[in-house]
Amino acid sequence: RLSLVGSEMCIRDRLEREAAELGIAGRVRFCGQQDDVRPYYWAADIAVQPSLREGQGQVLSEAMAAGLPVLCSDAGGMHEVVLDGRSGLVVPRGDLKAFAAALRTLVVDADMRAEYGRAGIERARAEVDIAVTAARHVEFYNRILGAYEPDSSADA
């Protein structure tokens, strides 16, 4: 069963019509925007983010932290969150054939899903965990402040 979670209401009607035309409407659940997405991660086998435009990829970080293998396009910063062939698969933005082939690979290869899920957890802990991110920001600002030398001539 396919669950679509998110706020892309502008395309929901079209997707519902297409699901009905394909005869799969009973196998697709349109969940809309959710305040707590954790139950959806826990129930999922794969997290998919096919965006054409994307910022940082927070959804992917959350999915990896939940142990899900991920499939995404290379839009925005998503390819920096997901390591292609290690914590998931990254395909060229807008390449539907490549996206379908990658999804098919993840659906049929349970070992790959498990491997990517484990690697995603480790990546989320090491790279995108809030404590790690905060520590990196503090380190960055300390380096900047340490390199800063006030212009003493400005006081004169």
Side-chain angles (χ1 to χ4, degrees), residues 151-156:
D151 184 3
S152 59
S153 64
D155 294 333

Side-chain angles (χ1 to χ4, degrees), residues 75-138:
M78 292 194 295
H79 67 280
E80 295 172 13
V81 175
V82 179
L83 299 179
D84 187 38
R86 292 181 46 207
S87 59
L89 297 174
V90 180
V91 298
R93 180 179 54 176
D95 188 338
L96 297 179
K97 286 184 180 181
F99 211 92
L103 182 57
R104 187 176 308 108
T105 296
L106 285 173
V107 167
V108 300
D109 194 334
D111 291 336
M112 180 184 283
R113 288 194 313 270
E115 179 184 333
Y116 288 174
R118 286 188 299 272
I121 290 171
E122 292 305 314
R123 176 139 176 86
R125 286 183 184 152
E127 299 294 329
V128 295
D129 178 77
I130 189 67
V132 171
T133 302
R136 287 185 179 152
H137 279 82
V138 168

